[in-house]
Amino acid sequence: MTSVDATQWNENLKKSDYSTFFQTFEYISQKSSDVTPVYVRVFDNNDEIVGQLGLRIIKTTVMYSSKTFRHFLDLISNITNRAIWVYGPIIHSNIIENRNAILNEILKAVDEIGKRYDLVHIEGQTSPFDRMIEENYKQIFKDHNYHKIDHITFVTELTKSKDDLWNDVSKKARGDVNRAKRRNIVVKVLETYDELEKVFFVKHGMDQIKRLGNNGHRSRN
């Protein structure tokens, strides 16, 4: 569906301990002329929602590295559709067999969405908080022609005290922070375009200096 009851969708998300803001109605339905929100729901025999996935169809220019694909794309159109979801699907079952069956139904629905919107690319990220992802679960993605790319997500327990959080940081990282303090290095959030521009030109200038420096050295045999 391209529209759902916001309260119902979000209330169902709360049933899962690994759902995040990125699957909420508010995130998926952000207003944009180039984005179409799509909501997938799986119901059991009692009409209870047992699985959900929010994704976004985005009109975009896809840049292929292959010359063949670029030429083929030019023959069709410069504008194409792709789909992306973040930290999903959300499955409301702790039984492995049920989880896998629900995932399969969700991906079948995404396959249909791909045909309906003529998608050239579908990309999704599973939730880093989902502790029940196992090999059979991953295999279902492969069965639907997805390619797995591993990522690392850094998760911090913010209910801990500052001292406990600091002690959890690696010794090397703590050393880097303390070294930055001694050198009076501060971190500032960029708030204006002018600030961003200054950072860009400083970095660009340093890169140029490095290249000039490297070009100035010649090895002798």
Side-chain angles (χ1 to χ4, degrees):
M1 303 179 67
T2 56
S3 180
V4 294
D5 181 276
T7 301
Q8 183 192 49
W9 179 270
N10 289 342
E11 285 300 319
N12 273 286
L13 282 182
K14 293 178 182 179
K15 296 177 182 178
S16 169
D17 60 2
Y18 63 85
S19 61
T20 67
F21 168 75
F22 297 108
Q23 280 295 303
T24 60
F25 177 87
E26 288 74 14
Y27 178 80
I28 300 163
S29 64
Q30 292 179 59
K31 302 298 182 183
S32 172
S33 58
D34 296 329
V35 176
T36 301
V38 180
Y39 306 88
V40 177
R41 297 179 298 180
V42 177
F43 295 83
D44 64 11
N45 293 332
N46 298 318
D47 286 333
E48 295 289 335
I49 296 175
V50 292
Q52 55 192 126
L53 174 67
L55 48 84
R56 309 176 79 200
I57 309 297
I58 302 173
K59 291 181 181 179
T60 183
T61 302
V62 178
M63 301 301 292
Y64 290 102
S65 58
S66 165
K67 291 182 179 179
T68 302
F69 277 121
R70 285 202 300 267
H71 176 69
F72 180 70
L73 184 61
D74 289 339
L75 293 177
I76 303 174
S77 170
N78 287 329
I79 303 298
T80 59
N81 290 330
R82 66 186 179 95
I84 185 169
W85 79 75
V86 183
Y87 291 1
I90 304 300
I91 298 177
H92 305 298
S93 175
N94 292 324
I95 301 173
I96 295 295
E97 292 77 8
N98 291 352
R99 277 173 53 88
N100 292 344
I102 294 167
L103 173 64
N104 189 57
E105 292 300 318
I106 290 175
L107 295 184
K108 283 164 60 177
V110 176
D111 290 343
E112 291 299 318
I113 292 169
K115 296 174 184 176
R116 183 183 306 174
Y117 288 91
D118 195 23
L119 301 180
V120 298
H121 182 74
I122 301 173
E123 176 184 349
Q125 299 175 29
T126 57
S127 173
F129 306 105
D130 186 353
R131 309 299 186 189
M132 295 189 68
I133 294 178
E134 37 78 48
E135 291 306 315
N136 290 328
Y137 191 92
K138 297 176 185 178
Q139 183 61 45
I140 295 171
F141 281 101
K142 294 180 181 178
D143 293 342
H144 286 267
N145 299 314
Y146 288 84
H147 299 279
K148 182 171 71 72
I149 300 175
D150 291 327
H151 294 276
I152 294 176
T153 300
F154 294 95
V155 179
T156 299
E157 178 54 68
L158 295 180
T159 60
K160 291 184 177 181
S161 67
K162 289 183 178 180
D163 289 339
D164 288 338
L165 289 173
W166 177 246
N167 290 331
D168 287 341
V169 175
S170 69
K171 184 177 180 180
K172 181 181 182 305
R174 292 200 301 268
D176 291 340
V177 172
N178 291 328
R179 190 178 303 112
K181 287 181 178 179
R182 291 195 298 271
R183 296 177 180 178
N184 295 319
I185 296 173
V186 296
V187 177
K188 182 183 185 303
V189 177
L190 301 182
E191 298 175 347
T192 67
Y193 180 83
D194 288 341
E195 290 178 337
L196 178 63
E197 194 175 53
K198 288 179 182 178
V199 171
F200 173 80
F201 283 116
V202 167
K203 182 182 185 306
H204 183 70
M206 292 301 296
D207 290 342
Q208 288 286 89
I209 292 172
K210 289 179 181 178
R211 281 196 290 271
L212 290 172
N214 291 335
N215 291 336
H217 293 288
R218 295 290 183 269
S219 61
R220 296 181 179 179
N221 296 326

